[in-house]
Amino acid sequence: MNKIILAAFVLSLMAFSANAQYLGLKGGLNLSNLNVDDVDSKNMRTGYHFGAYLNLPLSDAFSFQPEVLYSTKGSTVGKVYDFAGIDGTGTAELKIDYIDVPLLGIFRIGNALELHVGPYIGFLANSSYNLKIEGELDGEYNDEIDSDQLKGLDYGLIGGFALNFSALQVGARYNYGLQKIKDSSTADAIFGDAKNSYFQIFAALRIGNYDN
């Protein structure tokens, strides 16, 4: 179902492209973490994102910008784990990749500065974890976490800015997830009520009828 929804969205973007002010190709750095309680430590995952977008002007100062991005997320968390009453101190590294669809409002301030705000939805594309535990459960566990154990749909809010230099655009955003990623007792035991959180630094090439 997620693939059908994503395909329909991409086709919609193609249908709108004839009226778009400009297209964009973008990519950059992801610094991701998990918003989760009751952990002893967290270490961010350094990853990447890439994709494309359309800028659809609604006025001189405002435009609507849908995007399609492949984006890496996840983190490493340390805590005391309890499996069937047996405790162990360990760390769990979760790598989760999504196809994200930001739906942004773009506010232009002057000729170069833009503010980007809006929601995003994300479709789970790939996932894996590495769990290391010391104590009665001493050992290292590796496995694939499939869509039956993690939510197939992520969503949240985006805020950021961009600077335009002719065809080149650079910027930064913060993405705050609102969806708990767990969807099984196993994922709950390892990651609790974790939600995605990630910071992006990007560069984009604008193609078409941009103003500056």
PDB file of all heavy atoms in Angstrom, residues 22-48:
ATOM      1  N   TYR A  22      10.102  26.175 -10.931  1.00  0.00           N
ATOM      2  CA  TYR A  22      11.374  25.516 -11.188  1.00  0.00           C
ATOM      3  C   TYR A  22      11.416  24.155 -10.496  1.00  0.00           C
ATOM      4  O   TYR A  22      10.651  23.876  -9.569  1.00  0.00           O
ATOM      5  CB  TYR A  22      12.563  26.372 -10.777  1.00  0.00           C
ATOM      6  CG  TYR A  22      12.701  26.669  -9.307  1.00  0.00           C
ATOM      7  CD1 TYR A  22      13.335  25.772  -8.454  1.00  0.00           C
ATOM      8  CD2 TYR A  22      12.251  27.877  -8.775  1.00  0.00           C
ATOM      9  CE1 TYR A  22      13.495  26.048  -7.106  1.00  0.00           C
ATOM     10  CE2 TYR A  22      12.414  28.169  -7.431  1.00  0.00           C
ATOM     11  CZ  TYR A  22      13.026  27.251  -6.608  1.00  0.00           C
ATOM     12  OH  TYR A  22      13.186  27.524  -5.283  1.00  0.00           O
ATOM     13  N   LEU A  23      12.305  23.339 -10.998  1.00  0.00           N
ATOM     14  CA  LEU A  23      12.609  22.046 -10.406  1.00  0.00           C
ATOM     15  C   LEU A  23      13.878  22.170  -9.587  1.00  0.00           C
ATOM     16  O   LEU A  23      14.661  23.109  -9.757  1.00  0.00           O
ATOM     17  CB  LEU A  23      12.804  20.993 -11.498  1.00  0.00           C
ATOM     18  CG  LEU A  23      11.714  20.850 -12.553  1.00  0.00           C
ATOM     19  CD1 LEU A  23      12.153  19.864 -13.624  1.00  0.00           C
ATOM     20  CD2 LEU A  23      10.414  20.395 -11.912  1.00  0.00           C
ATOM     21  N   GLY A  24      14.117  21.180  -8.714  1.00  0.00           N
ATOM     22  CA  GLY A  24      15.346  21.171  -7.942  1.00  0.00           C
ATOM     23  C   GLY A  24      15.838  19.763  -7.696  1.00  0.00           C
ATOM     24  O   GLY A  24      15.038  18.839  -7.505  1.00  0.00           O
ATOM     25  N   LEU A  25      17.155  19.591  -7.736  1.00  0.00           N
ATOM     26  CA  LEU A  25      17.805  18.352  -7.336  1.00  0.00           C
ATOM     27  C   LEU A  25      18.637  18.660  -6.101  1.00  0.00           C
ATOM     28  O   LEU A  25      19.388  19.645  -6.085  1.00  0.00           O
ATOM     29  CB  LEU A  25      18.699  17.819  -8.455  1.00  0.00           C
ATOM     30  CG  LEU A  25      18.012  17.527  -9.783  1.00  0.00           C
ATOM     31  CD1 LEU A  25      19.053  17.114 -10.827  1.00  0.00           C
ATOM     32  CD2 LEU A  25      16.957  16.437  -9.629  1.00  0.00           C
ATOM     33  N   LYS A  26      18.517  17.840  -5.059  1.00  0.00           N
ATOM     34  CA  LYS A  26      19.174  18.193  -3.805  1.00  0.00           C
ATOM     35  C   LYS A  26      19.745  16.958  -3.115  1.00  0.00           C
ATOM     36  O   LYS A  26      19.363  15.817  -3.394  1.00  0.00           O
ATOM     37  CB  LYS A  26      18.196  18.906  -2.879  1.00  0.00           C
ATOM     38  CG  LYS A  26      17.051  18.027  -2.380  1.00  0.00           C
ATOM     39  CD  LYS A  26      16.078  18.809  -1.523  1.00  0.00           C
ATOM     40  CE  LYS A  26      16.744  19.454  -0.332  1.00  0.00           C
ATOM     41  NZ  LYS A  26      15.800  20.171   0.537  1.00  0.00           N
ATOM     42  N   GLY A  27      20.653  17.212  -2.196  1.00  0.00           N
ATOM     43  CA  GLY A  27      21.231  16.160  -1.376  1.00  0.00           C
ATOM     44  C   GLY A  27      22.057  16.772  -0.261  1.00  0.00           C
ATOM     45  O   GLY A  27      22.352  17.976  -0.285  1.00  0.00           O
ATOM     46  N   GLY A  28      22.410  15.946   0.728  1.00  0.00           N
ATOM     47  CA  GLY A  28      23.212  16.485   1.813  1.00  0.00           C
ATOM     48  C   GLY A  28      23.333  15.538   2.981  1.00  0.00           C
ATOM     49  O   GLY A  28      23.121  14.322   2.871  1.00  0.00           O
ATOM     50  N   LEU A  29      23.666  16.115   4.126  1.00  0.00           N
ATOM     51  CA  LEU A  29      24.006  15.395   5.347  1.00  0.00           C
ATOM     52  C   LEU A  29      22.796  15.258   6.260  1.00  0.00           C
ATOM     53  O   LEU A  29      22.032  16.211   6.430  1.00  0.00           O
ATOM     54  CB  LEU A  29      25.121  16.144   6.070  1.00  0.00           C
ATOM     55  CG  LEU A  29      25.632  15.577   7.392  1.00  0.00           C
ATOM     56  CD1 LEU A  29      26.399  14.279   7.158  1.00  0.00           C
ATOM     57  CD2 LEU A  29      26.522  16.610   8.097  1.00  0.00           C
ATOM     58  N   ASN A  30      22.618  14.073   6.839  1.00  0.00           N
ATOM     59  CA  ASN A  30      21.639  13.837   7.900  1.00  0.00           C
ATOM     60  C   ASN A  30      22.366  13.550   9.210  1.00  0.00           C
ATOM     61  O   ASN A  30      23.274  12.702   9.246  1.00  0.00           O
ATOM     62  CB  ASN A  30      20.747  12.639   7.585  1.00  0.00           C
ATOM     63  CG  ASN A  30      19.552  12.990   6.738  1.00  0.00           C
ATOM     64  OD1 ASN A  30      19.490  14.060   6.142  1.00  0.00           O
ATOM     65  ND2 ASN A  30      18.580  12.085   6.671  1.00  0.00           N
ATOM     66  N   LEU A  31      21.976  14.224  10.272  1.00  0.00           N
ATOM     67  CA  LEU A  31      22.440  13.928  11.628  1.00  0.00           C
ATOM     68  C   LEU A  31      21.202  13.535  12.415  1.00  0.00           C
ATOM     69  O   LEU A  31      20.408  14.394  12.807  1.00  0.00           O
ATOM     70  CB  LEU A  31      23.134  15.143  12.247  1.00  0.00           C
ATOM     71  CG  LEU A  31      24.361  15.660  11.494  1.00  0.00           C
ATOM     72  CD1 LEU A  31      24.861  16.961  12.110  1.00  0.00           C
ATOM     73  CD2 LEU A  31      25.477  14.621  11.486  1.00  0.00           C
ATOM     74  N   SER A  32      21.029  12.230  12.634  1.00  0.00           N
ATOM     75  CA  SER A  32      19.764  11.742  13.190  1.00  0.00           C
ATOM     76  C   SER A  32      19.937  11.193  14.590  1.00  0.00           C
ATOM     77  O   SER A  32      20.999  10.726  14.989  1.00  0.00           O
ATOM     78  CB  SER A  32      19.179  10.652  12.276  1.00  0.00           C
ATOM     79  OG  SER A  32      20.051   9.542  12.184  1.00  0.00           O
ATOM     80  N   ASN A  33      18.824  11.236  15.336  1.00  0.00           N
ATOM     81  CA  ASN A  33      18.777  10.702  16.683  1.00  0.00           C
ATOM     82  C   ASN A  33      17.387  10.153  16.923  1.00  0.00           C
ATOM     83  O   ASN A  33      16.491  10.293  16.082  1.00  0.00           O
ATOM     84  CB  ASN A  33      19.125  11.783  17.712  1.00  0.00           C
ATOM     85  CG  ASN A  33      20.071  11.266  18.784  1.00  0.00           C
ATOM     86  OD1 ASN A  33      19.928  10.138  19.253  1.00  0.00           O
ATOM     87  ND2 ASN A  33      21.032  12.085  19.180  1.00  0.00           N
ATOM     88  N   LEU A  34      17.176   9.543  18.064  1.00  0.00           N
ATOM     89  CA  LEU A  34      15.870   9.042  18.450  1.00  0.00           C
ATOM     90  C   LEU A  34      15.410   9.773  19.697  1.00  0.00           C
ATOM     91  O   LEU A  34      16.154   9.831  20.689  1.00  0.00           O
ATOM     92  CB  LEU A  34      15.919   7.528  18.720  1.00  0.00           C
ATOM     93  CG  LEU A  34      16.218   6.632  17.524  1.00  0.00           C
ATOM     94  CD1 LEU A  34      16.391   5.183  17.979  1.00  0.00           C
ATOM     95  CD2 LEU A  34      15.105   6.714  16.482  1.00  0.00           C
ATOM     96  N   ASN A  35      14.216  10.342  19.652  1.00  0.00           N
ATOM     97  CA  ASN A  35      13.614  10.919  20.844  1.00  0.00           C
ATOM     98  C   ASN A  35      13.010   9.788  21.663  1.00  0.00           C
ATOM     99  O   ASN A  35      11.972   9.226  21.325  1.00  0.00           O
ATOM    100  CB  ASN A  35      12.515  11.919  20.457  1.00  0.00           C
ATOM    101  CG  ASN A  35      13.081  13.210  19.947  1.00  0.00           C
ATOM    102  OD1 ASN A  35      14.141  13.659  20.388  1.00  0.00           O
ATOM    103  ND2 ASN A  35      12.404  13.834  19.003  1.00  0.00           N
ATOM    104  N   VAL A  36      13.696   9.409  22.748  1.00  0.00           N
ATOM    105  CA  VAL A  36      13.265   8.265  23.557  1.00  0.00           C
ATOM    106  C   VAL A  36      13.611   8.528  25.012  1.00  0.00           C
ATOM    107  O   VAL A  36      14.668   9.098  25.325  1.00  0.00           O
ATOM    108  CB  VAL A  36      13.929   6.962  23.047  1.00  0.00           C
ATOM    109  CG1 VAL A  36      15.442   7.088  23.031  1.00  0.00           C
ATOM    110  CG2 VAL A  36      13.489   5.759  23.850  1.00  0.00           C
ATOM    111  N   ASP A  37      12.709   8.128  25.918  1.00  0.00           N
ATOM    112  CA  ASP A  37      12.920   8.305  27.359  1.00  0.00           C
ATOM    113  C   ASP A  37      13.615   7.083  27.951  1.00  0.00           C
ATOM    114  O   ASP A  37      13.726   6.024  27.325  1.00  0.00           O
ATOM    115  CB  ASP A  37      11.575   8.514  28.066  1.00  0.00           C
ATOM    116  CG  ASP A  37      10.880   9.783  27.600  1.00  0.00           C
ATOM    117  OD1 ASP A  37      11.593  10.763  27.290  1.00  0.00           O
ATOM    118  OD2 ASP A  37       9.632   9.785  27.549  1.00  0.00           O
ATOM    119  N   ASP A  38      14.087   7.233  29.179  1.00  0.00           N
ATOM    120  CA  ASP A  38      14.640   6.123  29.969  1.00  0.00           C
ATOM    121  C   ASP A  38      15.827   5.442  29.302  1.00  0.00           C
ATOM    122  O   ASP A  38      15.921   4.211  29.253  1.00  0.00           O
ATOM    123  CB  ASP A  38      13.549   5.080  30.269  1.00  0.00           C
ATOM    124  CG  ASP A  38      12.381   5.677  31.034  1.00  0.00           C
ATOM    125  OD1 ASP A  38      12.625   6.547  31.887  1.00  0.00           O
ATOM    126  OD2 ASP A  38      11.230   5.274  30.759  1.00  0.00           O
ATOM    127  N   VAL A  39      16.737   6.248  28.769  1.00  0.00           N
ATOM    128  CA  VAL A  39      17.980   5.692  28.230  1.00  0.00           C
ATOM    129  C   VAL A  39      19.153   6.339  28.947  1.00  0.00           C
ATOM    130  O   VAL A  39      19.054   7.463  29.452  1.00  0.00           O
ATOM    131  CB  VAL A  39      18.098   5.909  26.708  1.00  0.00           C
ATOM    132  CG1 VAL A  39      16.982   5.189  25.978  1.00  0.00           C
ATOM    133  CG2 VAL A  39      18.112   7.388  26.353  1.00  0.00           C
ATOM    134  N   ASP A  40      20.264   5.617  28.993  1.00  0.00           N
ATOM    135  CA  ASP A  40      21.454   6.129  29.657  1.00  0.00           C
ATOM    136  C   ASP A  40      22.306   6.990  28.730  1.00  0.00           C
ATOM    137  O   ASP A  40      23.030   7.873  29.173  1.00  0.00           O
ATOM    138  CB  ASP A  40      22.296   4.963  30.187  1.00  0.00           C
ATOM    139  CG  ASP A  40      21.535   4.150  31.236  1.00  0.00           C
ATOM    140  OD1 ASP A  40      20.800   4.756  32.032  1.00  0.00           O
ATOM    141  OD2 ASP A  40      21.678   2.916  31.233  1.00  0.00           O
ATOM    142  N   SER A  41      22.253   6.698  27.420  1.00  0.00           N
ATOM    143  CA  SER A  41      23.063   7.453  26.466  1.00  0.00           C
ATOM    144  C   SER A  41      22.443   7.354  25.083  1.00  0.00           C
ATOM    145  O   SER A  41      21.710   6.418  24.782  1.00  0.00           O
ATOM    146  CB  SER A  41      24.503   6.932  26.435  1.00  0.00           C
ATOM    147  OG  SER A  41      24.537   5.592  25.984  1.00  0.00           O
ATOM    148  N   LYS A  42      22.769   8.348  24.241  1.00  0.00           N
ATOM    149  CA  LYS A  42      22.343   8.343  22.845  1.00  0.00           C
ATOM    150  C   LYS A  42      23.488   8.866  21.990  1.00  0.00           C
ATOM    151  O   LYS A  42      24.164   9.821  22.355  1.00  0.00           O
ATOM    152  CB  LYS A  42      21.109   9.231  22.637  1.00  0.00           C
ATOM    153  CG  LYS A  42      19.833   8.684  23.235  1.00  0.00           C
ATOM    154  CD  LYS A  42      18.606   9.473  22.773  1.00  0.00           C
ATOM    155  CE  LYS A  42      18.614  10.894  23.269  1.00  0.00           C
ATOM    156  NZ  LYS A  42      17.366  11.616  22.897  1.00  0.00           N
ATOM    157  N   ASN A  43      23.714   8.235  20.846  1.00  0.00           N
ATOM    158  CA  ASN A  43      24.711   8.695  19.882  1.00  0.00           C
ATOM    159  C   ASN A  43      24.048   8.804  18.519  1.00  0.00           C
ATOM    160  O   ASN A  43      23.399   7.859  18.052  1.00  0.00           O
ATOM    161  CB  ASN A  43      25.886   7.714  19.810  1.00  0.00           C
ATOM    162  CG  ASN A  43      26.673   7.665  21.103  1.00  0.00           C
ATOM    163  OD1 ASN A  43      27.189   8.683  21.553  1.00  0.00           O
ATOM    164  ND2 ASN A  43      26.764   6.502  21.702  1.00  0.00           N
ATOM    165  N   MET A  44      24.216   9.956  17.878  1.00  0.00           N
ATOM    166  CA  MET A  44      23.535  10.177  16.615  1.00  0.00           C
ATOM    167  C   MET A  44      24.143   9.354  15.492  1.00  0.00           C
ATOM    168  O   MET A  44      25.310   8.955  15.541  1.00  0.00           O
ATOM    169  CB  MET A  44      23.543  11.666  16.250  1.00  0.00           C
ATOM    170  CG  MET A  44      24.888  12.242  15.902  1.00  0.00           C
ATOM    171  SD  MET A  44      24.765  13.964  15.343  1.00  0.00           S
ATOM    172  CE  MET A  44      23.876  14.727  16.706  1.00  0.00           C
ATOM    173  N   ARG A  45      23.324   9.104  14.485  1.00  0.00           N
ATOM    174  CA  ARG A  45      23.772   8.447  13.263  1.00  0.00           C
ATOM    175  C   ARG A  45      24.062   9.512  12.218  1.00  0.00           C
ATOM    176  O   ARG A  45      23.239  10.395  11.983  1.00  0.00           O
ATOM    177  CB  ARG A  45      22.698   7.492  12.737  1.00  0.00           C
ATOM    178  CG  ARG A  45      23.089   6.813  11.423  1.00  0.00           C
ATOM    179  CD  ARG A  45      21.924   6.043  10.807  1.00  0.00           C
ATOM    180  NE  ARG A  45      22.340   5.388   9.564  1.00  0.00           N
ATOM    181  CZ  ARG A  45      21.509   4.784   8.713  1.00  0.00           C
ATOM    182  NH1 ARG A  45      20.204   4.749   8.975  1.00  0.00           N
ATOM    183  NH2 ARG A  45      21.968   4.229   7.606  1.00  0.00           N
ATOM    184  N   THR A  46      25.221   9.442  11.599  1.00  0.00           N
ATOM    185  CA  THR A  46      25.563  10.337  10.501  1.00  0.00           C
ATOM    186  C   THR A  46      25.209   9.644   9.191  1.00  0.00           C
ATOM    187  O   THR A  46      25.681   8.546   8.914  1.00  0.00           O
ATOM    188  CB  THR A  46      27.060  10.688  10.523  1.00  0.00           C
ATOM    189  OG1 THR A  46      27.380  11.309  11.763  1.00  0.00           O
ATOM    190  CG2 THR A  46      27.410  11.634   9.387  1.00  0.00           C
ATOM    191  N   GLY A  47      24.354  10.289   8.400  1.00  0.00           N
ATOM    192  CA  GLY A  47      23.901   9.686   7.156  1.00  0.00           C
ATOM    193  C   GLY A  47      23.726  10.719   6.064  1.00  0.00           C
ATOM    194  O   GLY A  47      24.443  11.725   6.024  1.00  0.00           O
ATOM    195  N   TYR A  48      22.735  10.513   5.215  1.00  0.00           N
ATOM    196  CA  TYR A  48      22.593  11.352   4.031  1.00  0.00           C
ATOM    197  C   TYR A  48      21.141  11.376   3.576  1.00  0.00           C
ATOM    198  O   TYR A  48      20.294  10.591   4.040  1.00  0.00           O
ATOM    199  CB  TYR A  48      23.473  10.801   2.897  1.00  0.00           C
ATOM    200  CG  TYR A  48      23.132   9.367   2.525  1.00  0.00           C
ATOM    201  CD1 TYR A  48      22.143   9.079   1.577  1.00  0.00           C
ATOM    202  CD2 TYR A  48      23.792   8.297   3.148  1.00  0.00           C
ATOM    203  CE1 TYR A  48      21.813   7.765   1.258  1.00  0.00           C
ATOM    204  CE2 TYR A  48      23.471   6.993   2.827  1.00  0.00           C
ATOM    205  CZ  TYR A  48      22.477   6.733   1.882  1.00  0.00           C
ATOM    206  OH  TYR A  48      22.152   5.436   1.585  1.00  0.00           O
TER     207      TYR A  48
END
